[in-house]
Amino acid sequence: MLLRHWPHASRPMAGLLAFDGGGAGGGGACPLAFLVSIYILPIIYSNSSCLCNEDALKKMSNFLRQFHIVSSLKTNSERDVRPFYKVISPLLARHPAVRRMHAQGVGRNMELRTAGEGGKKPLAVILAWMMAKESHLDKFRTLYLSKGFDVLTVSLSPKDLLFPVTGSQRVASGVLDHLARREDDGVLLHAFSVGGYLMGEMFVQMREQQDRYGCVAGRIRGVVLDSAVDFEGIPEGFPRALSRNPLTVRVLQWYVNTHLALMYGVATKHYVRSSKNFHNTPLRCPALMFVSEADAVGSPAANALVAENWRLRGCPVRTVCWRDSRHVSHMYQHREEYVGELDAFLASVMPAQEEKEPCAGMQQHTA
């Protein structure tokens, strides 16, 4: 459509396009900007025979400003054109397919970073929030790597969440397959936001395929939940992960609620089953929860219900609640307290333990 309106757009014009970033935890972008960057820019860039048309460039500038795709877009006469690669390189680096090229890929939506050569080491599994920036995730990876952990980072795309059978459930299966194959000195799960939902999908498969994954639960020594979001938080959290534009958020909220109503057999029933298994955890290890009264997505009330259900099933749960930190931003706003609580928790759950039966941590009950 854009090419039809501005057929003379050229490589220099394309080089000026940029994201209007947003979303919870610093990730995400305007969906329209995402479509322009992934589908339109490569086409414009490949059309090297086009000549820049000043009038067409001004029309494109006005159009993009209306939809908040760029913060400033000037004509060639107003400023020097930035080289195309300087804009598109960091833009594409946010795409999961590109990010996996710069890390050790171990499965779908997963990358592994090791703490160096040596024997068995503990493994920290980071279940990331949606559209998380690599620079933000690196702060948590570095924290665990400095303590001698290997770090497995797992991400979910919007499509994986909307269509769980071909998306999030396959991601959960890939994580469990990796844990089942790996020999390590204990596993720690650290889930952010939608990672709570993904953990529920993992619990479903651990119960349904006990011959395959039954022994994984006994190796999980602790769980950290940061702004965890269960099924009820998806309509509020999903739009805010993609955009900060109020109008875009409203449209996406309407879409998600419509999706939940019309796609019960495709999506909603799987969300409900994941939620039941998340609350009825098969684990018996301690847990640490980080929440905030200012977080409307992963609310303290919803997390308190999870904590109560986990305690009833024998899991000691400690909750740390702040008053002002935003969704998945607790570490950035309260770093000293956050790291202190995490260090104390790791010291209590990760020391050498007595040998247990392989499936000692697994409950046979099916939700």
Side-chain angles (χ1 to χ4, degrees), residues 152-212:
L152 179 69
T153 307
V154 186
S155 61
L156 277 184
S157 70
K159 182 180 178 182
D160 291 331
L161 179 63
L162 292 176
F163 302 97
V165 175
T166 58
S168 56
Q169 290 179 10
R170 291 189 179 181
V171 175
S173 179
V175 176
L176 292 172
D177 284 339
H178 180 77
L179 296 180
R181 292 192 304 265
R182 182 184 171 92
E183 295 182 0
D184 48 55
D185 188 26
V187 176
L188 179 83
L189 300 181
H190 195 146
F192 298 87
S193 188
V194 74
Y197 156 72
L198 181 59
M199 188 181 296
E201 291 287 8
M202 292 169 59
F203 290 168
V204 171
Q205 298 194 31
M206 288 164 65
R207 284 194 166 105
E208 292 184 347
Q209 303 185 56
Q210 293 192 24
D211 57 334
R212 186 175 178 183

CSV table of all heavy atoms in Angstrom, one decimal, residues 152-212:
chain,number,residue,atom,x,y,z
A,152,LEU,N,20.1,-20.0,30.4
A,152,LEU,CA,19.2,-20.3,29.2
A,152,LEU,C,18.1,-19.3,29.2
A,152,LEU,O,17.3,-19.1,30.1
A,152,LEU,CB,18.6,-21.7,29.4
A,152,LEU,CG,17.7,-22.1,28.2
A,152,LEU,CD1,18.5,-22.4,26.9
A,152,LEU,CD2,16.9,-23.4,28.6
A,153,THR,N,18.1,-18.5,28.1
A,153,THR,CA,17.0,-17.4,27.9
A,153,THR,C,16.0,-17.9,27.0
A,153,THR,O,16.3,-18.4,25.9
A,153,THR,CB,17.7,-16.1,27.4
A,153,THR,OG1,18.7,-15.7,28.3
A,153,THR,CG2,16.6,-15.0,27.4
A,154,VAL,N,14.7,-17.8,27.4
A,154,VAL,CA,13.6,-18.3,26.6
A,154,VAL,C,12.7,-17.1,26.3
A,154,VAL,O,12.3,-16.4,27.3
A,154,VAL,CB,12.8,-19.4,27.3
A,154,VAL,CG1,11.7,-20.0,26.4
A,154,VAL,CG2,13.8,-20.5,27.8
A,155,SER,N,12.3,-17.0,25.1
A,155,SER,CA,11.4,-15.8,24.7
A,155,SER,C,10.1,-16.3,24.0
A,155,SER,O,10.1,-17.4,23.4
A,155,SER,CB,12.1,-14.9,23.8
A,155,SER,OG,12.5,-15.5,22.6
A,156,LEU,N,9.1,-15.5,24.1
A,156,LEU,CA,7.8,-15.8,23.4
A,156,LEU,C,7.5,-14.6,22.5
A,156,LEU,O,7.7,-13.4,22.9
A,156,LEU,CB,6.7,-15.9,24.4
A,156,LEU,CG,6.4,-17.3,25.1
A,156,LEU,CD1,5.2,-17.2,25.9
A,156,LEU,CD2,6.3,-18.4,24.0
A,157,SER,N,7.1,-14.9,21.3
A,157,SER,CA,6.7,-13.8,20.3
A,157,SER,C,5.2,-13.7,20.5
A,157,SER,O,4.5,-14.5,21.1
A,157,SER,CB,7.0,-14.2,18.9
A,157,SER,OG,6.2,-15.3,18.5
A,158,PRO,N,4.7,-12.5,20.0
A,158,PRO,CA,3.2,-12.3,20.1
A,158,PRO,C,2.4,-13.5,19.4
A,158,PRO,O,1.4,-13.9,19.9
A,158,PRO,CB,3.0,-11.0,19.4
A,158,PRO,CG,4.3,-10.3,19.6
A,158,PRO,CD,5.3,-11.3,19.6
A,159,LYS,N,2.9,-14.0,18.3
A,159,LYS,CA,2.3,-15.1,17.6
A,159,LYS,C,2.3,-16.3,18.4
A,159,LYS,O,1.3,-17.1,18.5
A,159,LYS,CB,3.0,-15.3,16.2
A,159,LYS,CG,2.3,-16.4,15.4
A,159,LYS,CD,3.0,-16.6,14.1
A,159,LYS,CE,2.4,-17.8,13.3
A,159,LYS,NZ,3.1,-18.0,12.0
A,160,ASP,N,3.4,-16.6,19.1
A,160,ASP,CA,3.5,-17.8,20.0
A,160,ASP,C,2.4,-17.7,21.1
A,160,ASP,O,1.8,-18.8,21.5
A,160,ASP,CB,4.9,-17.9,20.7
A,160,ASP,CG,6.0,-18.2,19.7
A,160,ASP,OD1,5.7,-18.8,18.7
A,160,ASP,OD2,7.1,-17.8,19.9
A,161,LEU,N,2.1,-16.5,21.6
A,161,LEU,CA,1.1,-16.4,22.7
A,161,LEU,C,-0.3,-16.6,22.1
A,161,LEU,O,-1.1,-17.2,22.7
A,161,LEU,CB,1.3,-15.1,23.4
A,161,LEU,CG,0.3,-14.8,24.5
A,161,LEU,CD1,0.5,-15.7,25.6
A,161,LEU,CD2,0.5,-13.3,25.0
A,162,LEU,N,-0.6,-16.0,21.0
A,162,LEU,CA,-1.9,-16.0,20.4
A,162,LEU,C,-2.3,-17.4,19.9
A,162,LEU,O,-3.5,-17.7,20.0
A,162,LEU,CB,-2.0,-15.0,19.3
A,162,LEU,CG,-2.0,-13.5,19.7
A,162,LEU,CD1,-2.0,-12.6,18.5
A,162,LEU,CD2,-3.1,-13.1,20.6
A,163,PHE,N,-1.4,-18.2,19.5
A,163,PHE,CA,-1.6,-19.5,19.0
A,163,PHE,C,-0.8,-20.5,19.7
A,163,PHE,O,0.3,-20.9,19.2
A,163,PHE,CB,-1.4,-19.6,17.5
A,163,PHE,CG,-2.2,-18.5,16.7
A,163,PHE,CD1,-1.7,-17.3,16.3
A,163,PHE,CD2,-3.5,-18.8,16.4
A,163,PHE,CE1,-2.4,-16.4,15.6
A,163,PHE,CE2,-4.3,-17.9,15.7
A,163,PHE,CZ,-3.8,-16.7,15.3
A,164,PRO,N,-1.2,-20.9,20.9
A,164,PRO,CA,-0.4,-21.7,21.8
A,164,PRO,C,0.0,-23.1,21.3
A,164,PRO,O,1.1,-23.6,21.7
A,164,PRO,CB,-1.2,-21.8,23.1
A,164,PRO,CG,-2.6,-21.5,22.7
A,164,PRO,CD,-2.5,-20.6,21.6
A,165,VAL,N,-0.9,-23.7,20.6
A,165,VAL,CA,-0.6,-25.1,20.1
A,165,VAL,C,0.7,-25.2,19.3
A,165,VAL,O,1.5,-26.0,19.4
A,165,VAL,CB,-1.8,-25.7,19.4
A,165,VAL,CG1,-1.4,-27.1,18.8
A,165,VAL,CG2,-3.0,-25.8,20.3
A,166,THR,N,0.8,-24.2,18.4
A,166,THR,CA,2.0,-24.2,17.5
A,166,THR,C,3.0,-23.2,18.0
A,166,THR,O,4.1,-23.1,17.4
A,166,THR,CB,1.5,-23.8,16.1
A,166,THR,OG1,0.9,-22.5,16.1
A,166,THR,CG2,0.6,-24.8,15.5
A,167,GLY,N,2.7,-22.5,19.1
A,167,GLY,CA,3.6,-21.5,19.6
A,167,GLY,C,4.2,-21.8,21.0
A,167,GLY,O,5.2,-22.6,21.1
A,168,SER,N,3.5,-21.3,22.0
A,168,SER,CA,4.0,-21.4,23.4
A,168,SER,C,4.2,-22.9,23.8
A,168,SER,O,5.1,-23.2,24.6
A,168,SER,CB,3.1,-20.7,24.3
A,168,SER,OG,1.8,-21.1,24.3
A,169,GLN,N,3.3,-23.8,23.4
A,169,GLN,CA,3.4,-25.2,23.9
A,169,GLN,C,4.7,-25.8,23.3
A,169,GLN,O,5.3,-26.7,23.9
A,169,GLN,CB,2.2,-26.0,23.5
A,169,GLN,CG,1.0,-25.5,24.3
A,169,GLN,CD,-0.3,-26.3,24.0
A,169,GLN,OE1,-0.3,-27.3,23.3
A,169,GLN,NE2,-1.4,-25.8,24.5
A,170,ARG,N,5.0,-25.5,22.0
A,170,ARG,CA,6.2,-26.0,21.4
A,170,ARG,C,7.5,-25.4,22.1
A,170,ARG,O,8.5,-26.1,22.3
A,170,ARG,CB,6.3,-25.8,19.9
A,170,ARG,CG,5.2,-26.5,19.2
A,170,ARG,CD,5.4,-26.4,17.7
A,170,ARG,NE,4.4,-27.2,16.9
A,170,ARG,CZ,4.4,-27.3,15.6
A,170,ARG,NH1,5.3,-26.6,14.9
A,170,ARG,NH2,3.4,-28.0,15.0
A,171,VAL,N,7.4,-24.2,22.5
A,171,VAL,CA,8.5,-23.5,23.2
A,171,VAL,C,8.7,-24.2,24.6
A,171,VAL,O,9.8,-24.6,24.9
A,171,VAL,CB,8.3,-22.0,23.4
A,171,VAL,CG1,9.4,-21.4,24.2
A,171,VAL,CG2,8.2,-21.3,22.0
A,172,ALA,N,7.6,-24.5,25.3
A,172,ALA,CA,7.7,-25.1,26.6
A,172,ALA,C,8.3,-26.5,26.4
A,172,ALA,O,9.1,-27.0,27.2
A,172,ALA,CB,6.3,-25.2,27.2
A,173,SER,N,7.8,-27.2,25.4
A,173,SER,CA,8.4,-28.6,25.1
A,173,SER,C,9.9,-28.5,24.9
A,173,SER,O,10.7,-29.4,25.3
A,173,SER,CB,7.7,-29.2,24.0
A,173,SER,OG,8.2,-30.5,23.7
A,174,GLY,N,10.3,-27.5,24.1
A,174,GLY,CA,11.8,-27.4,23.9
A,174,GLY,C,12.6,-27.1,25.1
A,174,GLY,O,13.7,-27.6,25.3
A,175,VAL,N,12.0,-26.3,26.0
A,175,VAL,CA,12.7,-26.0,27.3
A,175,VAL,C,12.9,-27.3,28.1
A,175,VAL,O,13.9,-27.6,28.6
A,175,VAL,CB,12.0,-24.9,28.1
A,175,VAL,CG1,12.6,-24.7,29.4
A,175,VAL,CG2,11.9,-23.6,27.3
A,176,LEU,N,11.8,-28.1,28.2
A,176,LEU,CA,11.8,-29.3,29.0
A,176,LEU,C,12.7,-30.3,28.3
A,176,LEU,O,13.4,-31.1,29.1
A,176,LEU,CB,10.4,-29.8,29.1
A,176,LEU,CG,9.4,-29.0,30.0
A,176,LEU,CD1,8.0,-29.5,29.9
A,176,LEU,CD2,9.9,-29.0,31.4
A,177,ASP,N,12.7,-30.4,27.0
A,177,ASP,CA,13.6,-31.3,26.3
A,177,ASP,C,15.1,-31.0,26.7
A,177,ASP,O,15.9,-31.9,26.9
A,177,ASP,CB,13.4,-31.3,24.8
A,177,ASP,CG,12.2,-32.0,24.4
A,177,ASP,OD1,11.7,-32.9,25.1
A,177,ASP,OD2,11.7,-31.7,23.3
A,178,HIS,N,15.4,-29.7,26.7
A,178,HIS,CA,16.8,-29.3,27.0
A,178,HIS,C,17.1,-29.6,28.4
A,178,HIS,O,18.2,-30.1,28.7
A,178,HIS,CB,16.9,-27.8,26.8
A,178,HIS,CG,18.3,-27.2,27.1
A,178,HIS,ND1,19.4,-27.4,26.2
A,178,HIS,CD2,18.8,-26.6,28.2
A,178,HIS,CE1,20.4,-26.9,26.8
A,178,HIS,NE2,20.1,-26.4,27.9
A,179,LEU,N,16.2,-29.4,29.4
A,179,LEU,CA,16.5,-29.7,30.8
A,179,LEU,C,16.6,-31.2,31.0
A,179,LEU,O,17.4,-31.6,31.8
A,179,LEU,CB,15.3,-29.2,31.7
A,179,LEU,CG,15.2,-27.6,31.7
A,179,LEU,CD1,14.0,-27.2,32.6
A,179,LEU,CD2,16.5,-27.0,32.1
A,180,ALA,N,15.8,-32.0,30.2
A,180,ALA,CA,15.9,-33.4,30.4
A,180,ALA,C,17.2,-34.0,29.9
A,180,ALA,O,17.7,-35.0,30.4
A,180,ALA,CB,14.7,-34.1,29.7
A,181,ARG,N,17.8,-33.4,28.9
A,181,ARG,CA,19.1,-33.8,28.3
A,181,ARG,C,20.3,-33.4,29.1
A,181,ARG,O,21.3,-34.0,29.1
A,181,ARG,CB,19.2,-33.3,26.9
A,181,ARG,CG,18.3,-33.9,25.9
A,181,ARG,CD,18.7,-33.5,24.4
A,181,ARG,NE,18.8,-32.1,24.3
A,181,ARG,CZ,17.9,-31.3,23.8
A,181,ARG,NH1,16.7,-31.9,23.4
A,181,ARG,NH2,18.1,-30.0,23.6
A,182,ARG,N,20.1,-32.3,29.8
A,182,ARG,CA,21.2,-31.6,30.4
A,182,ARG,C,21.6,-32.2,31.7
A,182,ARG,O,20.7,-32.6,32.5
A,182,ARG,CB,20.9,-30.1,30.6
A,182,ARG,CG,22.1,-29.3,31.1
A,182,ARG,CD,21.6,-27.9,31.3
A,182,ARG,NE,22.6,-27.1,32.1
A,182,ARG,CZ,23.6,-26.4,31.6
A,182,ARG,NH1,23.7,-26.3,30.2
A,182,ARG,NH2,24.4,-25.7,32.3
A,183,GLU,N,22.9,-32.3,32.0
A,183,GLU,CA,23.4,-32.7,33.3
A,183,GLU,C,23.9,-31.4,34.0
A,183,GLU,O,24.9,-30.8,33.6
A,183,GLU,CB,24.5,-33.7,33.2
A,183,GLU,CG,24.1,-35.1,32.7
A,183,GLU,CD,25.2,-36.1,32.6
A,183,GLU,OE1,26.3,-35.7,33.0
A,183,GLU,OE2,25.0,-37.2,32.2
A,184,ASP,N,23.3,-31.0,35.1
A,184,ASP,CA,23.7,-29.8,35.7
A,184,ASP,C,23.6,-29.9,37.2
A,184,ASP,O,23.1,-30.9,37.8
A,184,ASP,CB,22.8,-28.6,35.3
A,184,ASP,CG,21.3,-29.0,35.4
A,184,ASP,OD1,20.8,-29.4,36.4
A,184,ASP,OD2,20.6,-28.9,34.3
A,185,ASP,N,24.0,-28.9,37.9
A,185,ASP,CA,24.0,-28.9,39.4
A,185,ASP,C,22.9,-28.1,39.9
A,185,ASP,O,23.0,-27.1,40.6
A,185,ASP,CB,25.4,-28.3,39.9
A,185,ASP,CG,25.5,-28.5,41.4
A,185,ASP,OD1,24.9,-29.4,41.9
A,185,ASP,OD2,26.2,-27.7,42.0
A,186,GLY,N,21.7,-28.4,39.5
A,186,GLY,CA,20.5,-27.7,40.0
A,186,GLY,C,20.0,-26.7,38.9
A,186,GLY,O,20.8,-26.1,38.2
A,187,VAL,N,18.7,-26.5,38.9
A,187,VAL,CA,18.0,-25.5,38.0
A,187,VAL,C,17.3,-24.5,38.8
A,187,VAL,O,16.6,-24.8,39.8
A,187,VAL,CB,17.1,-26.3,37.0
A,187,VAL,CG1,16.4,-25.3,36.1
A,187,VAL,CG2,17.9,-27.3,36.2
A,188,LEU,N,17.4,-23.2,38.4
A,188,LEU,CA,16.6,-22.1,38.9
A,188,LEU,C,15.7,-21.6,37.8
A,188,LEU,O,16.3,-21.2,36.7
A,188,LEU,CB,17.5,-21.1,39.5
A,188,LEU,CG,16.7,-19.9,40.1
A,188,LEU,CD1,16.3,-20.1,41.5
A,188,LEU,CD2,17.6,-18.6,40.1
A,189,LEU,N,14.4,-21.4,38.0
A,189,LEU,CA,13.5,-20.8,37.1
A,189,LEU,C,13.3,-19.3,37.5
A,189,LEU,O,12.9,-19.1,38.6
A,189,LEU,CB,12.2,-21.5,37.0
A,189,LEU,CG,12.2,-23.0,36.6
A,189,LEU,CD1,10.8,-23.5,36.5
A,189,LEU,CD2,12.9,-23.2,35.2
A,190,HIS,N,13.5,-18.4,36.5
A,190,HIS,CA,13.3,-17.0,36.8
A,190,HIS,C,12.4,-16.5,35.7
A,190,HIS,O,12.8,-16.3,34.6
A,190,HIS,CB,14.6,-16.2,36.8
A,190,HIS,CG,14.5,-14.8,37.3
A,190,HIS,ND1,15.6,-14.3,38.0
A,190,HIS,CD2,13.5,-13.9,37.4
A,190,HIS,CE1,15.2,-13.0,38.4
A,190,HIS,NE2,14.0,-12.8,38.0
A,191,ALA,N,11.1,-16.3,36.1
A,191,ALA,CA,10.1,-15.9,35.1
A,191,ALA,C,9.6,-14.5,35.2
A,191,ALA,O,9.4,-14.0,36.3
A,191,ALA,CB,8.8,-16.8,35.3
A,192,PHE,N,9.6,-13.8,34.1
A,192,PHE,CA,9.1,-12.4,34.1
A,192,PHE,C,7.8,-12.3,33.3
A,192,PHE,O,7.7,-12.9,32.2
A,192,PHE,CB,10.1,-11.5,33.3
A,192,PHE,CG,11.5,-11.4,34.0
A,192,PHE,CD1,12.5,-12.4,33.7
A,192,PHE,CD2,11.8,-10.4,34.9
A,192,PHE,CE1,13.7,-12.3,34.3
A,192,PHE,CE2,13.0,-10.3,35.5
A,192,PHE,CZ,14.0,-11.3,35.2
A,193,SER,N,6.8,-11.6,33.9
A,193,SER,CA,5.6,-11.3,33.1
A,193,SER,C,5.0,-12.6,32.5
A,193,SER,O,4.6,-13.5,33.2
A,193,SER,CB,5.9,-10.2,32.1
A,193,SER,OG,4.7,-9.8,31.5
A,194,VAL,N,4.9,-12.6,31.2
A,194,VAL,CA,4.3,-13.7,30.5
A,194,VAL,C,5.0,-15.0,30.7
A,194,VAL,O,4.5,-16.1,30.3
A,194,VAL,CB,4.1,-13.3,28.9
A,194,VAL,CG1,5.5,-13.4,28.3
A,194,VAL,CG2,3.1,-14.2,28.2
A,195,GLY,N,6.2,-14.9,31.2
A,195,GLY,CA,6.9,-16.2,31.6
A,195,GLY,C,6.2,-17.0,32.6
A,195,GLY,O,6.4,-18.2,32.7
A,196,GLY,N,5.3,-16.3,33.4
A,196,GLY,CA,4.5,-17.1,34.3
A,196,GLY,C,3.5,-18.0,33.6
A,196,GLY,O,3.3,-19.2,33.9
A,197,TYR,N,2.9,-17.5,32.5
A,197,TYR,CA,2.0,-18.3,31.6
A,197,TYR,C,2.8,-19.4,31.0
A,197,TYR,O,2.4,-20.6,31.0
A,197,TYR,CB,1.4,-17.4,30.6
A,197,TYR,CG,1.0,-18.2,29.4
A,197,TYR,CD1,-0.1,-19.1,29.4
A,197,TYR,CD2,1.7,-18.2,28.2
A,197,TYR,CE1,-0.5,-19.9,28.3
A,197,TYR,CE2,1.3,-18.9,27.1
A,197,TYR,CZ,0.2,-19.8,27.1
A,197,TYR,OH,-0.1,-20.6,26.1
A,198,LEU,N,4.0,-19.2,30.5
A,198,LEU,CA,4.9,-20.2,29.9
A,198,LEU,C,5.2,-21.3,30.9
A,198,LEU,O,5.3,-22.5,30.6
A,198,LEU,CB,6.1,-19.6,29.3
A,198,LEU,CG,7.1,-20.5,28.6
A,198,LEU,CD1,6.4,-21.3,27.4
A,198,LEU,CD2,8.3,-19.8,28.1
A,199,MET,N,5.5,-20.9,32.1
A,199,MET,CA,5.8,-21.9,33.2
A,199,MET,C,4.6,-22.8,33.4
A,199,MET,O,4.7,-24.0,33.6
A,199,MET,CB,6.1,-21.1,34.5
A,199,MET,CG,6.6,-22.1,35.6
A,199,MET,SD,7.0,-21.2,37.1
A,199,MET,CE,8.4,-20.1,36.6
A,200,GLY,N,3.4,-22.2,33.3
A,200,GLY,CA,2.2,-23.0,33.4
A,200,GLY,C,2.1,-24.1,32.3
A,200,GLY,O,1.7,-25.2,32.5
A,201,GLU,N,2.5,-23.7,31.1
A,201,GLU,CA,2.5,-24.6,29.9
A,201,GLU,C,3.5,-25.7,30.2
A,201,GLU,O,3.3,-26.9,29.8
A,201,GLU,CB,2.8,-23.9,28.6
A,201,GLU,CG,1.7,-23.0,28.1
A,201,GLU,CD,0.5,-23.7,27.6
A,201,GLU,OE1,0.4,-24.9,27.7
A,201,GLU,OE2,-0.4,-23.0,27.0
A,202,MET,N,4.6,-25.4,30.8
A,202,MET,CA,5.6,-26.4,31.2
A,202,MET,C,5.1,-27.4,32.2
A,202,MET,O,5.3,-28.6,32.1
A,202,MET,CB,6.9,-25.7,31.7
A,202,MET,CG,7.7,-24.9,30.7
A,202,MET,SD,9.0,-23.8,31.4
A,202,MET,CE,10.0,-25.0,32.2
A,203,PHE,N,4.3,-26.9,33.2
A,203,PHE,CA,3.8,-27.7,34.2
A,203,PHE,C,2.8,-28.7,33.6
A,203,PHE,O,2.7,-29.8,34.0
A,203,PHE,CB,3.1,-26.9,35.3
A,203,PHE,CG,4.0,-26.1,36.1
A,203,PHE,CD1,3.5,-25.1,37.0
A,203,PHE,CD2,5.4,-26.3,36.1
A,203,PHE,CE1,4.4,-24.4,37.8
A,203,PHE,CE2,6.3,-25.6,36.9
A,203,PHE,CZ,5.8,-24.7,37.8
A,204,VAL,N,2.0,-28.2,32.6
A,204,VAL,CA,1.0,-29.1,31.9
A,204,VAL,C,1.8,-30.3,31.3
A,204,VAL,O,1.4,-31.4,31.4
A,204,VAL,CB,0.3,-28.3,30.8
A,204,VAL,CG1,-0.6,-29.3,29.9
A,204,VAL,CG2,-0.6,-27.3,31.4
A,205,GLN,N,2.8,-30.0,30.5
A,205,GLN,CA,3.5,-31.1,29.9
A,205,GLN,C,4.3,-32.0,30.9
A,205,GLN,O,4.4,-33.2,30.6
A,205,GLN,CB,4.5,-30.5,28.8
A,205,GLN,CG,3.8,-29.7,27.7
A,205,GLN,CD,4.6,-29.4,26.6
A,205,GLN,OE1,5.6,-30.2,26.2
A,205,GLN,NE2,4.4,-28.3,25.9
A,206,MET,N,4.8,-31.4,32.0
A,206,MET,CA,5.4,-32.2,33.0
A,206,MET,C,4.5,-33.3,33.6
A,206,MET,O,4.9,-34.4,33.9
A,206,MET,CB,6.0,-31.3,34.1
A,206,MET,CG,7.2,-30.6,33.6
A,206,MET,SD,7.7,-29.2,34.7
A,206,MET,CE,8.1,-30.0,36.2
A,207,ARG,N,3.2,-32.9,33.7
A,207,ARG,CA,2.2,-33.8,34.2
A,207,ARG,C,1.7,-34.8,33.2
A,207,ARG,O,1.5,-36.0,33.5
A,207,ARG,CB,1.0,-33.0,34.8
A,207,ARG,CG,1.3,-32.4,36.1
A,207,ARG,CD,0.0,-31.9,36.8
A,207,ARG,NE,0.2,-31.6,38.2
A,207,ARG,CZ,0.2,-30.3,38.6
A,207,ARG,NH1,0.1,-29.3,37.8
A,207,ARG,NH2,0.4,-30.1,39.9
A,208,GLU,N,1.5,-34.3,31.9
A,208,GLU,CA,0.9,-35.2,30.9
A,208,GLU,C,2.0,-36.1,30.3
A,208,GLU,O,1.6,-37.2,29.8
A,208,GLU,CB,0.4,-34.3,29.8
A,208,GLU,CG,-0.9,-33.5,30.2
A,208,GLU,CD,-1.5,-32.8,29.1
A,208,GLU,OE1,-0.8,-32.7,28.0
A,208,GLU,OE2,-2.6,-32.3,29.2
A,209,GLN,N,3.3,-35.8,30.4
A,209,GLN,CA,4.3,-36.7,29.9
A,209,GLN,C,5.4,-37.0,31.0
A,209,GLN,O,6.5,-36.6,30.8
A,209,GLN,CB,5.0,-36.0,28.7
A,209,GLN,CG,4.0,-35.6,27.6
A,209,GLN,CD,4.8,-35.1,26.4
A,209,GLN,OE1,5.6,-35.7,25.8
A,209,GLN,NE2,4.4,-33.8,26.0
A,210,GLN,N,4.9,-37.6,32.0
A,210,GLN,CA,5.8,-37.9,33.2
A,210,GLN,C,6.9,-38.9,32.8
A,210,GLN,O,8.0,-38.8,33.4
A,210,GLN,CB,5.0,-38.4,34.3
A,210,GLN,CG,4.0,-37.4,34.9
A,210,GLN,CD,3.4,-37.8,36.2
A,210,GLN,OE1,4.0,-38.6,36.9
A,210,GLN,NE2,2.3,-37.3,36.6
A,211,ASP,N,6.6,-39.8,31.8
A,211,ASP,CA,7.7,-40.7,31.4
A,211,ASP,C,8.8,-39.9,30.7
A,211,ASP,O,10.0,-40.4,30.7
A,211,ASP,CB,7.2,-41.7,30.5
A,211,ASP,CG,6.5,-41.2,29.3
A,211,ASP,OD1,6.0,-40.0,29.3
A,211,ASP,OD2,6.4,-41.8,28.2
A,212,ARG,N,8.5,-38.8,30.2
A,212,ARG,CA,9.5,-38.0,29.4
A,212,ARG,C,10.1,-36.9,30.3
A,212,ARG,O,11.3,-36.6,30.2
A,212,ARG,CB,8.9,-37.4,28.2
A,212,ARG,CG,9.8,-36.7,27.2
A,212,ARG,CD,9.0,-36.3,26.0
A,212,ARG,NE,9.8,-35.5,25.0
A,212,ARG,CZ,9.3,-35.0,23.9
A,212,ARG,NH1,8.0,-35.2,23.6
A,212,ARG,NH2,10.0,-34.3,23.1
